[in-house]
Amino acid sequence: MPREREAGEDLEPVRGTHRTDWMALLSGMLFVALGALVLSGGLKDPLALVGLVVVGLGFSGLVAVIARVARGR
């Protein structure tokens, strides 16, 4: 529970930090990049799209696991 402040005491902003969710970050980047490729016409083969999604999500998962192990969790 936060302590009560004295009259005239400056309020300091509370800076909460959080750990980066690498799986979410990399997955989001993957889908944005693939969406841009599909919309621009640079990627027309559906089989290549599925392959890139599977490989990209696998890589994201691997990075997320390595980050969790490195944090000691």
Side-chain angles (χ1 to χ4, degrees):
M1 180 155 232
R3 67 176 179 83
E4 291 188 26
R5 299 187 189 276
E6 299 293 325
E9 185 179 357
D10 287 335
L11 297 177
E12 294 181 16
V14 178
R15 292 186 182 244
T17 60
H18 64 278
R19 294 183 174 159
T20 303
D21 184 357
W22 290 103
M23 180 73 181
L25 178 65
L26 293 174
S27 297
M29 289 172 52
L30 171 73
F31 285 112
V32 167
L34 290 178
L37 283 173
V38 169
L39 290 176
S40 68
L43 185 62
K44 296 182 182 192
D45 185 16
L47 188 59
L49 178 64
V50 170
L52 287 172
V53 167
V54 169
V55 169
L57 290 177
F59 177 72
S60 302
L62 180 65
V63 169
V65 168
I66 290 171
R68 181 169 288 183
V69 168
R71 285 192 304 241
R73 218 176 120 195

